[in-house]
């Protein structure tokens, strides 16, 4: 299978007519000859590739301090290395649209560390923990895309932070920006009897070959990938731009079903199958082919229509497959089967999971992803003492200790609990996720992490009898970083009016979202908005109503 070779400097206008999309011409598709930047982000990327900022950070900005940073780098290219400015303190939600960018910027950064496949050694975790403690006011968030996000980072410390991370094989390269972001993988890949196949090798091959490669460092927008053979579908392939999902074909061969074009944000769309069977040794080229299509044919005119899902919506899976095969891979792919039904309806690997080698994995729930460097250090120590020195992050803001001797399980559960890390959390704690929110995020309308904490603790007190799986996803704005559309109860941050008519922080409610065979987005009920203070009462009310009317074998989750 050929690896695509075109780069941003080698357009292929000859294919323009053949490749025409359902949209009117002129969406900025490079392959159709539209090379002139159509908005300021495209201009910024044309002026200098995002990857070039690293040298300036190391040689100019880290020495000169925050005020020496070029504004185009500050609000654009620094993302190519996982750096975003934090929200300036004291700016209320809903006011951001009327402010100048510099009024929104704090002098501190969020720094995203990518953990492709989710797996860490205790040494790596200890380094991240040390950075959080020493440079980041002891705050660390496990995200729902297997990153660890640090806060309060000063530009002067960034080269030292990179030195420490890279010393243990970690990176922030392309953790943000219009690039291939962290590649999701099953945190227990290679360890479970139930898995379809172990995707560790192809995932690593893609990361090693393409992350930081200028061939893919100027995409129309962000690009999210998942490569997994997990039978629990724990990487949520349905909402990635490209996903390789483990399957067994009619000949008993193990490989991948290829999905493309998923994504949430303000125009949610589930990915679609191309219907092909990808052998493990073909993953690297097929991944590069899909990213190549996005780079060359993706829409660059409007940022809100620049994700791959819009191209897929216009082309459809048949045309997408044909272009992939004929222009990028130069070969036909065989048809393949769809993935099986997930073996359970919770995808977080929380709890006690038997491993192939006779040990167990212990998955546990922090407080809606929020941790500290101090706690991460304790987890690393526990991993060495009671596990085999490995830890993993899930795509549901949870962590897993690997290789715990069954004889040590109770001791490990008790020790984790002393750090408020629950292996046997309530349904509410387990099922609640929250995005970064107004504490740090410049796009936020409302606060999220603290509210998630209050919500699940209240529900634990009020509904101790509720024991079913449930997902409650709390988001600070419509961008849906914590996936409000795919939760049983999804909250989208918004400014609402309270009983006295005052404008206060609140949420638009979406109900009934879920993944799986009959995946559906939650429905937004007209007018169904709650103030932030009303959240616990609201969720209690709908769950009590459900419990009163529940039929035998009925489940709250879709
Ligand atoms: Fe920020 Fe909005 Fe994403 Fe939350 S959903 S992290 S508020 S952009």
């Amino acid at each position: 299978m050929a690896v695509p070779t075109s780069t941003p400097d080698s357009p292929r206008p000859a294919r323009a007519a053949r490749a025409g999309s359902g949209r009117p011409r002129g969406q900025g598709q490079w392959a159709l000859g539209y090379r002139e930047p159509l908005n300021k982000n495209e201009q910024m990327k044309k002026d200098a590739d995002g990857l070039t900022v690293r040298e300036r950070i190391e040689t100019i900005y880290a020495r000169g301090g925050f005020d020496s940073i070029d504004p185009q780098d500050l609000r654009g290219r620094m993302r190519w290395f996982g750096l975003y400015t934090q929200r300036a303190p004291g700016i209320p939600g809903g006011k951001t649209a009327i402010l100048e960018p510099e009024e929104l910027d704090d002098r501190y950064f969020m720094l995203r560390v990518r953990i492709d496949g989710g797996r860490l050694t205790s040494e790596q975790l200890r380094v991240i923990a040390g950075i959080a403690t020493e440079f980041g006011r002891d705050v660390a968030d496990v995200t729902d895309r297997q990153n660890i996000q640090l806060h309060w980072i000063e530009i002067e410390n960034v080269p030292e932070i990179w030195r420490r991370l890279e010393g243990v094989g970690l990176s922030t390269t392309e953790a943000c920006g219009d690039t291939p972001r962290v590649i999701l993988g099953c945190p227990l890949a290679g360890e479970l009897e139930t898995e379809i196949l172990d995707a560790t090798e192809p995932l690593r091959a893609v990361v090693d070959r393409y992350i930081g490669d200028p061939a893919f460092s100027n995409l129309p927008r962000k690009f999210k990938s998942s490569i997994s053979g997990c039978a629990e579908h724990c990487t949520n392939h349905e909402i990635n731009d490209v996903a390789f999902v483990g399957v067994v074909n009619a000949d008993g061969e193990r490989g991948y079903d290829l999905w493309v074009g998923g994504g949430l944000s303000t125009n949610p769309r589930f990915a679609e199958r191309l219907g092909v069977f990808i052998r493990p040794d073909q993953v690297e080229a097929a991944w590069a082919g899909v990213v190549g299509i996005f780079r060359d044919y993706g829409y660059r005119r409007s940022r809100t229509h620049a994700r791959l899902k819009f191209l897929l919506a216009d082309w459809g899976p048949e045309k997408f497959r044909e272009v992939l095969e004929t222009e990028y891979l130069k070969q036909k792919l065989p048809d393949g089967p769809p993935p099986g039904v997930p073996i359970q309806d919770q995808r977080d690997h929380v709890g006690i999971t038997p491993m192939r080698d006779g040990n167990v994995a212990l998955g546990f729930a922090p407080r809606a992803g929020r941790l500290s460097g101090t706690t991460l250090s304790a987890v690393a120590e526990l991993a060495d003492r009671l596990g085999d020195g490995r830890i993993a992050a899930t795509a549901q803001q949870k962590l897993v200790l690997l290789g715990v001797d069954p004889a040590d399980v109770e001791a490990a559960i008790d020790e984790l609990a002393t750090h408020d890390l629950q292996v046997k959390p309530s349904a509410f704690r387990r099922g609640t996720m929250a995005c970064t929110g107004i504490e740090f995020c410049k796009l936020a309308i409302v606060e999220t992490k603290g509210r998630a904490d209050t919500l699940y603790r209240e529900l634990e007190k009020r509904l101790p009898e509720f024991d079913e799986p449930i997902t409650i996803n709390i988001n600070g704005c419509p961008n849906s970083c914590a996936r409000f559309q795919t939760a049983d109860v999804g909250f989208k941050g918004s400014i609402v009016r309270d009983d006295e008519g005052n404008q206060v922080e609140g949420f638009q409610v979406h109900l009934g979202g879920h993944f799986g065979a009959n995946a559906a987005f939650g429905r937004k009920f007209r007018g169904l908005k709650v103030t932030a203070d009303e959240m616990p009462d609201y969720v209690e009310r709908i769950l009590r109503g459900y419990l009163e009317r529940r039929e035998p074998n009925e489940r709250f989750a879709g």
Side-chain angles (χ1 to χ4, degrees), residues 116-136:
D116 297 279
R119 207 89 126 235
L120 290 165
T121 64
S122 58
E123 182 190 22
Q124 290 173 322
L125 186 60
R126 217 170 263 119
V127 166
I128 296 173
I131 293 167
T133 311
E134 196 173 331
F135 302 114

Side-chain angles (χ1 to χ4, degrees), residues 19-86:
S21 80
R23 270 169 205 274
R25 285 291 188 85
Q27 296 299 314
Q29 307 97 314
W30 284 357
L32 305 192
Y34 296 104
R35 301 290 299 196
E36 281 313 303
L38 294 167
N39 59 52
K40 67 179 176 27
N41 293 80
E42 288 300 313
Q43 183 67 53
M44 178 269 292
K45 292 185 282 182
K46 187 175 185 187
D47 289 345
D49 190 276
L51 293 173
T52 65
V53 78
R54 175 157 180 158
E55 193 190 347
R56 290 188 292 284
I57 292 172
E58 292 184 311
T59 60
I60 303 172
Y61 305 148
R63 293 178 191 165
F66 187 86
D67 294 327
S68 70
I69 304 173
D70 177 280
Q72 263 203 345
D73 284 343
L74 183 68
R75 299 187 190 94
R77 298 184 196 95
M78 293 184 84
R79 297 175 187 198
W80 270 244
F81 287 90
L83 286 156
Y84 282 88
T85 46
Q86 290 183 179

Side-chain angles (χ1 to χ4, degrees), residues 484 487-490 492 507-513 521-530 538 542 556:
F484 65 82
D488 299 313
V489 185
K492 178 180 79 179
F507 296 90
Q508 166 79 55
V509 182
H510 292 240
L511 294 175
F521 294 122
R523 286 180 58 205
K524 174 172 110 176
F525 287 87
R526 205 175 158 77
L528 185 43
K529 293 184 175 179
V530 294
Y538 172 74
I542 57 173
F556 184 80

Side-chain angles (χ1 to χ4, degrees), residues 320-381:
F320 199 106
R321 174 176 176 171
E322 189 205 322
V323 174
L324 177 67
E325 290 175 335
T326 56
E327 297 187 17
Y328 289 82
L329 302 179
K330 316 287 188 203
Q331 69 173 81
K332 287 280 180 200
L333 295 165
D335 291 344
V341 175
I343 58 172
Q344 64 153 318
D345 51 12
Q346 285 181 291
R347 298 179 168 192
D348 56 11
H349 294 297
V350 164
I352 305 168
T353 307
M355 291 168 52
R356 273 202 178 114
D357 65 1
N359 288 319
V360 299
L362 295 182
F364 53 91
R367 296 178 295 117
R370 173 56 54 81
L371 288 139
S372 68
T374 307
T375 305
L376 290 179
S377 285
V379 172
E381 191 274 324

